[in-house]
DNA sequence: ATACAGGCTCGCC
DNA sequence: GGCGAGCCTGTA
């Protein structure tokens, strides 16, 4: 399967802190997972060649190729910062990842750098998963907190263990949660231990494609404070959130992703 | 070395 | 509802 560069910016998409199971290989290639199916991507003329056991439909869904990105970006305010961020990584897309894996990844993200989160993801796949696949809630529940601690989760181990236990004992179906309204979905995600505002928003954006949520982490907070709200007297989290919601429009989650990637990666 | 990092929870005010 | 401390681990 061919993925044209004009449709999706794979390097930016895969390196923008939304997925932690993708690995950079030699020669500009990547390996990763679409749900339970592995993929390999190799650069070729005008884009990338994708090799996978996933169905074409699953590929389109995962890489969000059925989404009209141009139309979404047209709703953005035309300020210089966002314009720069868009030019920095054109065709950066928000993937549609597995809810359970995304939930675990972001519980593990608390006070962690991206390489650490990737290392944890890899360790869980190697030690608990079958053939490198990401382990289910059932498997991580049975593995328990000691195994998770041994995988360097630290204080996050008890959160992941408790979240897995809650999912199994209450027979929660994270796939079925796609049907929920965004406020209802958020309420349910917030019931998991270790999941607060930021992590719930990331899961909603990266697994449930709710583009109206606007996760504010320390990087985005810096962008807002320095570039957008420098005149605000007391820029509390609540005020920044209110500003972002009204200013960036209905696809503010996408604006967040472009700003995040730009501020973290640009060399000045 | 001692601090500190892409966050949450709890206790305190 | 706002604030600070503590939490594991890895890195500077």
């Amino acid at each position: 399967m061919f993925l044209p560069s004009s449709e999706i910016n794979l390097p930016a998409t895969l390196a923008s802190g939304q997925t932690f199971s993708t690995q950079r290989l030699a020669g500009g290639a990547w390996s990763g997972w679409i749900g339970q199916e592995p993929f390999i991507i190799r650069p070729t003329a005008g884009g990338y060649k994708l090799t996978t056991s996933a169905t074409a439909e699953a590929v389109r869904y995962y890489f969000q190729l059925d989404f009209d990105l141009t139309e979404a970006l047209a709703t953005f305010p035309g300020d210089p910062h966002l314009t720069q961020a868009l030019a920095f990584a054109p065709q950066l897309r928000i993937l549609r990842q597995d809810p359970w894996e995304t939930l675990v990844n972001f519980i593990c993200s608390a006070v962690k750098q991206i390489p650490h989160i990737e290392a944890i993801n890899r360790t869980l796949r190697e030690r608990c998963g079958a053939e490198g696949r990401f382990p289910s809630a059932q498997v991580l529940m049975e593995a328990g907190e000691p195994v998770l601690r041994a995988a360097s989760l630290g204080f996050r181990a008890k959160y992941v263990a408790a979240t897995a236990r809650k999912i199994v004992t209450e027979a929660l179906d994270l796939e079925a949660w796609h049907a929920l309204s965004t406020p209802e979905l958020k309420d349910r995600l917030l019931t998991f231990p270790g999941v607060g505002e930021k992590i719930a928003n990331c899961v909603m954006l990266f697994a449930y494609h709710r583009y109206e949520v606007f996760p504010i982490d320390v990087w985005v907070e810096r962008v807002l404070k320095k570039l957008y709200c420098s005149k605000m007297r007391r820029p509390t989290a609540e005020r920044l959130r209110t500003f972002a919601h009204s200013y960036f429009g209905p696809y503010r989650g996408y604006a967040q992703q472009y700003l995040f990637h730009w501020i973290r990666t640009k060399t000045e």
Side-chain angles (χ1 to χ4, degrees):
Chain A
M1 212 175 157
F2 177 63
L3 302 177
S5 297
S6 57
E7 289 287 311
I8 180 167
N9 183 336
L10 279 167
T13 296
L14 299 177
S16 59
Q18 50 176 323
T19 174
F20 303 96
S21 58
T22 310
Q23 295 194 57
R24 211 184 293 256
L25 308 177
W30 300 77
S31 69
W33 298 82
I34 297 173
Q36 302 282 62
E37 309 300 331
F39 70 75
I40 293 209
I41 287 170
R42 293 186 183 84
T44 182
Y48 289 80
K49 181 177 172 9
L50 174 80
T51 308
T52 183
S53 47
T55 65
E57 189 188 6
V59 170
R60 287 180 64 75
Y61 180 82
Y62 180 79
F63 288 104
Q64 202 212 37
L65 301 176
D66 52 350
F67 177 78
D68 191 337
L69 183 58
T70 305
E71 191 179 327
L73 301 189
T75 66
F76 282 0
D79 69 71
H81 311 121
L82 193 49
T83 301
Q84 269 193 75
L86 291 173
F88 181 74
Q91 298 303 123
L92 163 60
R93 286 177 183 266
I94 293 181
L95 300 169
R96 297 195 187 101
Q97 301 179 77
D98 175 72
W100 161 244
E101 180 179 347
T102 305
L103 179 59
V104 175
N105 278 340
F106 281 94
I107 290 176
C108 292
S109 76
V111 207
K112 280 274 184 205
Q113 314 264 352
I114 289 175
H116 299 159
I117 309 166
E118 291 173 340
I120 288 172
N121 185 286
R122 204 172 318 126
T123 304
L124 293 179
R125 286 172 178 276
E126 285 168 2
R127 295 191 189 166
C128 305
E131 294 168 13
R133 296 190 174 88
F134 194 79
S136 65
Q138 175 83 37
V139 167
L140 287 192
M141 181 192 79
E142 286 164 4
E145 196 178 322
V147 169
L148 296 172
R149 284 197 174 260
S152 296
L153 296 224
F155 64 82
R156 305 153 195 85
K158 65 174 183 294
Y159 296 145
V160 171
T163 294
R165 194 181 322 119
K166 183 173 167 67
I167 286 176
V168 172
T169 57
E170 298 179 21
L172 303 178
D173 180 1
L174 296 185
E175 284 301 326
W177 289 12
H178 270 111
L180 298 175
S181 71
T182 296
E184 177 63 21
L185 176 61
K186 183 173 193 173
D187 285 346
R188 300 228 191 157
L189 290 170
L190 289 174
T191 65
F192 291 120
V195 177
E197 176 87 16
K198 155 68 168 61
I199 290 175
N201 281 341
C202 284
V203 175
M204 288 196 287
L205 187 57
F206 301 132
Y208 291 100
H209 42 274
R210 305 302 170 105
Y211 304 128
E212 72 272 36
V213 305
F214 192 89
I216 301 181
D217 70 312
V218 299
W219 290 91
V220 171
E221 186 178 329
R222 281 176 209 150
V223 169
L224 292 177
K225 284 183 177 171
K226 272 170 71 176
L227 303 181
Y228 287 97
C229 305
S230 56
K231 302 265 174 68
M232 199 182 277
R233 279 153 303 179
R234 255 181 85 248
T236 61
E238 174 64 21
R239 287 181 184 177
L240 293 176
R241 202 184 60 92
T242 304
F243 164 80
H245 276 235
S246 64
Y247 180 75
F248 291 109
Y251 292 97
R252 48 193 170 261
Y254 245 106
Q256 177 273 161
Q257 192 63 12
Y258 275 92
L259 289 170
F260 177 84
H261 180 65
W262 172 62
I263 204 70
R264 280 191 60 250
T265 321
K266 76 188 174 84
T267 49
E268 293 292 343

